[in-house]
Amino acid sequence: KKGTFININSDGFRGEEINHNHTQKIVFLGGSTMFGKVTTSDTTTIVGFTKKLLDENYDTEIINAGIPSASTIDEIYLLEKKILPLKPKIVIMYDGWNDIEYADMTKNSITYEEFKQNDYFTNNQKNNEDDSRLKIKLKNFLYSINFQVGLGIIQIYDDLYGIIFSKPVINKVDEIDTVYLSKIQQNLFQNWNYICDLGVKNNFEVIIILHPMLNSGNRQPHFDELQ
C-alpha cells in the first residue's frame, strides 16, 4: 500500500518491494523506533538512512521489518515465519524498550514456546477488540489536531484508562515488581540466544543493539534529551 509518508510492500514490510533474488539481504528488526513511526518518509527511518549509506559502496538489499510495539518475542515469531525464507545474511535487532519499560505484562512474562502455544496474537486481539477501536479512534483524532499535544493527551488517556478499567500501565522500570522484572530479563536473554542460534543454523549474522533507556539508570539526561 502506498501512502503519503509510509509505503508497505507486498511482503508486509515498510519500504519498496523486496528483490527476492538478491543474495545479500540485511534485515532490521525492532519496534516503532525501527519502523519509523513518526517519520515523514521511508527514507528518513533508521533503515532508510542506513540504506542510503550502504548503497553508495555496497550492493545490498535492506529490509525494514520493524513493527510498532513489537518486543523480542514478536521478532522471533516474525523471523521464523517471514524472514528466514528471505535467506538474510545479517539480522540487526534494536531492542529493550518494549520488553522492559513499555512492558506488556502478559506477553513479556511468558516464554516463546508458551507464546506460540497460547496463540497470543489471536487471544489478545479478541480480548481487546472493542477497546482497540475506541483507542484508535481517539488517537487518530488527537493526532489530527496536533501531534505534540496529542502525544501528551494520549499518555494521560492511557493512564486513566488503566486506572478506571484496572488494566496495568507500566512506563518506568522502578514501577515494575522486581520478580516480574527478573522474569522479563530472563526471557529477553533467552529470546536473544534463540535468535543467535537461528543465525548459526541458517547462516546469518546477528547484531543486537540495546535502546538507551533514561529511566533505567543513574545517568543524568542531556538537555537535548530532556527536550
Side-chain angles (χ1 to χ4, degrees), residues 90-140:
I90 302 175
V91 170
I92 299 174
M93 305 175 66
Y94 188 39
D95 292 322
W97 182 270
N98 288 341
D99 283 83
I100 299 174
E101 299 227 17
Y102 192 71
D104 181 318
M105 296 184 70
T106 303
K107 181 172 64 177
N108 293 346
S109 60
I110 60 176
T111 65
Y112 179 55
E113 290 304 317
E114 292 172 325
F115 177 85
K116 289 193 295 185
Q117 292 170 5
N118 292 334
D119 195 6
Y120 177 84
F121 282 115
T122 303
N123 293 333
N124 191 57
Q125 184 177 4
K126 289 178 180 177
N127 293 337
N128 295 298
E129 187 176 14
D130 293 334
D131 298 343
S132 297
R133 289 197 191 114
L134 175 62
K135 295 182 84 171
I136 288 171
K137 285 182 179 179
L138 179 61
K139 288 186 179 185
N140 286 343

Side-chain angles (χ1 to χ4, degrees), residues 43-90:
T43 60
T44 53
T45 64
I46 292 174
V47 182
F49 286 121
T50 306
K51 176 177 172 57
K52 182 179 179 181
L53 289 171
L54 292 179
D55 281 350
E56 294 175 359
N57 300 296
Y58 302 97
D59 181 21
T60 55
E61 180 77 4
I62 310 296
I63 300 169
N64 185 349
I67 303 175
S69 299
S71 55
T72 52
I73 206 165
D74 302 298
E75 292 164 23
I76 297 175
Y77 190 86
L78 179 65
L79 184 61
E80 288 195 321
K81 296 292 183 181
K82 297 200 68 174
I83 294 173
L84 287 185
L86 298 175
K87 298 181 179 180
K89 289 297 181 183
I90 302 175

Side-chain angles (χ1 to χ4, degrees), residues 30-37 39 45-46 67-68 94 97-98 211:
S32 57
T33 324
M34 185 62 77
F35 177 82
K37 183 178 178 181
T39 55
T45 64
I46 292 174
I67 303 175
Y94 188 39
W97 182 270
N98 288 341
H211 281 138

